[in-house]
Amino acid sequence: MKIRFANHIAREQSGRSMIEMLGVLAIMGVITVAAIAMVTAAMRSANRSAVQDQVTQIVTGVRSLLGGYDDFSGIDNGTIFAAIGISNKNPYNGDYMLSTYPADPRLFVLTITGLNQSDCQYFKTKAWIESFGFQASDGKYSGADADPSDCSAHDGRNSIRIVFN
């Protein structure tokens, strides 16, 4: 009888309780949520960096291709993007679009579409160096503006325009 009792105690002590398992699952859930947040932040940062790099390439390409002319009235999206060698698609599943600035053909506009609210606000307030109207002193006016409703769309339908010369 003593042997059976000892075996019974050993079996109970080697098992895990339901509370312990729930505790482990809760810890794993917290770790998973933190990992998802980190991956999301890394993806957001990578997309923003990619857009900034692509904007630099596009602006450099437009200036290189059309810089010898008096104005940018001959700007053509298909020709420009083919000559630059990059796609007009951006990392947000939107487009890059080039146009002549309506009030002054010596300026051109780069529009970035497909942005969500936070990325629209980020790019709108980013200091686009070499953009028309950039003011480094206050950091608020960047040469970019939101189109058409000031970054208020919830489903990736926001866009910004950046004016360059």
Side-chain angles (χ1 to χ4, degrees):
M1 177 100 165
K2 288 184 181 180
I3 295 174
R4 282 188 188 172
F5 183 70
N7 286 340
H8 180 67
I9 291 174
R11 275 187 289 182
E12 283 185 27
Q13 290 177 348
S14 68
R16 301 279 182 245
S17 72
M18 183 66 95
I19 293 173
E20 289 173 325
M21 292 303 290
L22 288 175
V24 168
L25 289 174
I27 291 170
M28 289 174 56
V30 168
I31 291 170
T32 302
V33 168
I36 290 171
M38 288 174 42
V39 167
T40 301
M43 288 174 54
R44 181 182 310 117
S45 178
N47 283 345
R48 288 177 177 178
S49 291
V51 166
Q52 291 172 30
D53 292 343
Q54 290 170 348
V55 165
T56 301
Q57 289 177 344
I58 293 167
V59 170
T60 301
V62 168
R63 288 178 176 160
S64 171
L65 293 169
L66 300 176
Y69 297 100
D70 292 335
D71 61 35
F72 294 101
S73 58
I75 210 163
D76 174 38
N77 282 292
T79 304
I80 296 292
F81 286 105
I84 295 171
I86 66 171
S87 171
N88 70 327
K89 298 293 181 194
N90 66 44
Y92 297 98
N93 294 320
D95 295 320
Y96 296 113
M97 294 181 292
L98 294 164
S99 61
T100 304
Y101 188 65
D104 187 351
R106 293 173 296 166
L107 305 174
F108 67 95
V109 179
L110 174 60
T111 303
I112 305 170
T113 66
L115 302 172
N116 61 37
Q117 284 180 312
S118 67
D119 289 316
C120 181
Q121 285 295 332
Y122 172 80
F123 288 124
K124 180 182 175 188
T125 58
K126 182 190 177 326
W128 294 99
I129 298 173
E130 297 185 19
S131 65
F132 183 72
F134 171 70
Q135 296 176 1
S137 59
D138 65 9
K140 292 181 183 175
Y141 186 69
S142 66
D145 67 346
D147 175 41
S149 58
D150 200 31
C151 301
S152 62
H154 293 283
D155 57 359
R157 292 183 301 141
N158 295 299
S159 61
I160 64 159
R161 295 180 302 244
I162 312 164
V163 179
F164 292 95
N165 58 355

